[in-house]
Amino acid sequence: MIFDQSEFELRCEWGEQGVAKLAAISDVVVIVDILSFSTSVEIATNRGATIFPYRWKDESSVDYALSVNAELASQKRQANNGYSLSPVSLVDIPDGTRLVLPSPNGASLTLRTGQTPTLAGCLRNCKAVADFARSNGTNIAVIPAGERWEDGSLRPAWEDLIGAGAILSYLDGRLSPEAEVAVAAFQNLKGNLVTALEQCSSGKELVARGFAKDVELAAAINISSCVPSLADNAYRKNGSKACVDAA
């Protein structure tokens, strides 16, 4: 009871423990992994692809892709020569593509939400996700995924806090203190998202590796009405109106 924020309708907590504490007592869970799982899922499902989240970036992913009759995204981030966690690699993915997308953060959290309706949220679709989440109930858990330090421990990631705050800012209900902090952080920097994402630790890492376009795509706020919803262990476009071109 102490850690589940159950006295509030709108809840926010980090990573695996956040899912463990909040998912079962919430009407809907929103997974937020801005750089880059949930951004990639939005872009791909926006174009009509089906995305199978998978936790491990190892040989077991090959067998899993075969079992669901899907392509397997590269375990290495790349913008060209195939699909990967790079959003740029997915902007032209064809309608009907079935793709396994391994991710130790966003995908791993997705697969831990149990029977609770689960959505993938990012800055690109934050209002649409909030609106769709509200249609599932009033108790909404928004989970910023965070990243990993070299020892495997959670690294709270600024971009995921901002993404969670963006979604929560469009929801009505009592905010937990944790959710209030996320909203305040988003409101403080919402007018300067591109620069802020480029300057945060995760963004600097991607820019240094040559993936500045990924950061730019992730920072584009409310350009999509596409809501990736999880069913049968896969994200598909759901509840969208006329989804815009992901590019």
Side-chain angles (χ1 to χ4, degrees), residues 4-145:
D4 64 12
Q5 304 175 33
S6 58
E7 64 269 45
F8 304 97
E9 290 86 17
L10 306 179
R11 306 151 181 175
C12 182
E13 191 54 87
W14 288 94
E16 292 181 4
Q17 290 302 315
V19 172
K21 297 296 184 183
L22 305 185
I25 63 164
S26 299
D27 298 316
V28 60
V29 174
V30 183
I31 303 299
V32 182
D33 186 352
I34 301 297
L35 297 174
S36 299
F37 178 78
S38 57
T39 298
S40 296
V41 170
E42 183 281 316
I43 287 174
T45 58
N46 197 352
R47 295 186 58 85
T50 298
I51 299 298
F52 294 86
Y54 196 71
R55 180 174 187 177
W56 305 111
K57 293 184 177 182
D58 59 20
E59 290 304 314
S60 69
S61 61
V62 176
D63 292 334
Y64 179 67
L66 289 172
S67 75
V68 295
N69 190 30
E71 298 182 53
L72 176 61
S74 173
Q75 297 183 22
K76 179 181 179 181
R77 181 184 286 263
Q78 56 189 28
N80 303 302
N81 302 316
Y83 307 126
S84 75
L85 270 175
S86 167
V88 169
S89 74
L90 299 163
V91 295
D92 294 319
I93 193 170
D95 184 6
T97 302
R98 295 166 63 87
L99 182 69
V100 172
L101 190 61
S103 160
N105 299 309
S108 177
L109 299 183
T110 293
L111 298 172
R112 292 174 178 267
T113 59
Q115 299 303 310
T116 306
T118 301
L119 311 175
C122 60
L123 290 169
R124 297 170 63 88
N125 65 355
C126 54
K127 185 178 186 302
V129 165
D131 291 343
F132 190 76
R134 190 183 296 112
S135 72
N136 280 268
T138 57
N139 296 317
I140 299 169
V142 181
I143 308 294

